[in-house]
Amino acid sequence: MSEKCLDDLEDNIFCIFFYESIGESVILFTLLATVAVLTFFYMLATTADGYLSPALAKLAEKLKMSQTLAGVTLLAFANGAPDVISSFAAGGTGSSAGVPLVIGSIFGAGLFDFTLTAASVVLAAGTIKANKKSFSRDIIFYLIAMTYLIILGLIGEIKVYQAIGFYVLYLAYVITVVYMESKMKEDHDRRQSLLPEARKSLLPPPEKMIETASSDLKEPLIPPQEIDDLVDPDNEDDNTYVSVKRVSKIIAHSAEQQFRNMSIEFGKPEEEHKPSRFKPEPKPMLKTIIQTVLTYYTIPLDFVRKASIPTTEEEEWNQTYAIIQPFGLIWFVMFCFGELDESYHGIWSGFYVLPFQILFSILIWKFTEKDKYPEKLTSIYTVVALIVSVLWIQFTCGLLVEVLEFIGSLTGLHPTFLGLTVLAWGNTIGDLVSNTALAKMGLAVTGLTASFAGPLFNFLVGLGSSLLRQAASAGGALSFEVFSFDQYSIKNGSLLAVGILIIDYAALVGTLVYAFSNGFKLSKKFAFAAIGVYVLMCLSATIYSIILKVQS
């Protein structure tokens, strides 16, 4: 342990690495830290989308959950897992940077979705008429949650039962969503029963609606034969419904399309595509080099997860990986729980479980087929994949939080600023891509709704988990003097946290007022105003952080 890694950073591996391994070289550390942060974000995004989401979708199917209930619980967790788990990880570091980093990340990500992501969806679709009830419901619940947090900040401390209040608020939200959706379905069924057959025949089928909305695309984001799986013709808003089973595919396909347009498809052969009208076509040599580097760089990252996380999708079945998984899975779980390390006990623990790993591998080899997914193991694989995916995300989030805390200590930038920018951007860029892709498919209302509903889960469950963990660790009460404006608090960055809360609150209220005054039609005027709000916030936060650094 380096003597220079004092107090909060005494166990920070990046602090130790900086002082003991690279001789305090700022340039080298900057390069390595950049690669590390990008790697962590790649691991978070691909683990959540490629492993956790399919496992939760399969679990929802096994439990026979309704689409609505699954959407606001399991799939909300799948989409918000990086935010929630990184918040939980920051809350357990024991560092004074923990709470500021969480506040910056949660509300920075929320503002990103309310403004940039929502604006991108509106610009992709033109003008959107939001669903009045669901749009108002999501914003009002978020405002209630923020008001509750502000009250706790004015009190100056958070007790365990008050932190649990965030979970209670989300439970109330889930109940409200399920109730409203059931009432909407009843009203829709009643209207359908009164609608003459002749009138029904005049309504265009959902796939035609999507074809019309997507007619300006060079190629459809999702093949026509899969549209029936995405759209529910019996839903009140035909073009706003997305099947739980297909959510992962939407995100994966849209992300793949974006990578193809940038000529950076990981591990896939180069394909012909038309030049962008905004950028010149990259040189073939540069394109090949980028592809090759990224392909080989991501191979070990993908391998370690394939060797430790069972697949829940039939088309992804690979018997070779299944045989290897007992080794990677068990060792990784032991490592996460501190049973496998460089100590004498840790090394021998790895050997003790070896006979069981060999036995499991032999059984998988003996009783599974090379080209056929073992249906009898679906339930076991789903539960195991869910647990190990969460452990991978938690492990990656822990590393990400550590590197951000050390960057803050090294540069003098406030943890709230790092959470507001770096951590928030990394966790929300996927929302921007997938929600915009939905808008281009003709599912603009769904993309807009996700931009406001998703952050609510991250706020109540993510921040609630972090505060609950810290309150419990602090003996039942956590000091939470966010609104303390004494000289020490101002120098310590409290104004930045307060500023984020105020801007988030104002942005939501402004959006709701604008929607009501325009019949819930969101136009490009709203999109440009939203972008302006976010840019203004980033500039203000940057200037304030620089002033804090200079004064310190």
Side-chain angles (χ1 to χ4, degrees), residues 212-353:
T212 302
S214 306
S215 59
D216 59 334
L217 294 177
K218 301 290 189 300
E219 56 178 298
L221 286 176
I222 294 186
Q225 64 269 23
E226 296 183 2
I227 288 179
D228 288 337
D229 292 334
L230 293 170
V231 181
D232 181 7
D234 294 327
N235 190 274
E236 183 179 17
D237 297 311
D238 291 320
N239 64 334
T240 66
Y241 179 88
V242 181
S243 169
V244 170
K245 298 179 184 179
R246 311 299 295 175
V247 167
S248 300
K249 192 159 188 174
I250 292 174
I251 297 174
H253 197 105
S254 62
E256 182 178 345
Q257 188 74 17
Q258 295 294 325
F259 283 127
R260 180 182 293 114
N261 292 338
M262 294 188 295
S263 303
I264 308 178
E265 282 192 275
F266 299 122
K268 293 191 175 183
E270 179 182 344
E271 297 180 8
E272 292 293 329
H273 60 281
K274 296 182 180 180
S276 169
R277 55 181 175 176
F278 300 107
K279 294 181 181 179
E281 184 77 0
K283 295 180 180 180
M285 179 64 70
L286 177 62
K287 182 171 60 178
T288 303
I289 293 174
I290 293 174
Q291 275 188 303
T292 304
V293 171
L294 289 175
T295 297
Y296 283 102
Y297 182 74
T298 56
I299 284 176
L301 302 178
D302 295 335
F303 174 79
V304 292
R305 287 173 298 168
K306 287 181 179 180
S308 58
I309 308 176
T311 181
T312 58
E313 299 182 290
E314 294 183 13
E315 59 269 23
E316 298 293 330
W317 168 252
N318 185 306
Q319 190 188 44
T320 302
Y321 277 116
I323 294 173
I324 297 173
Q325 282 164 358
F327 295 92
L329 188 156
I330 294 176
W331 279 335
F332 177 70
V333 171
M334 291 176 63
F335 173 77
C336 289
F337 286 96
E339 295 296 326
L340 188 66
D341 51 34
E342 70 278 5
S343 67
Y344 179 83
H345 169 75
I347 294 174
W348 277 105
S349 295
F351 282 107
Y352 292 150
V353 298

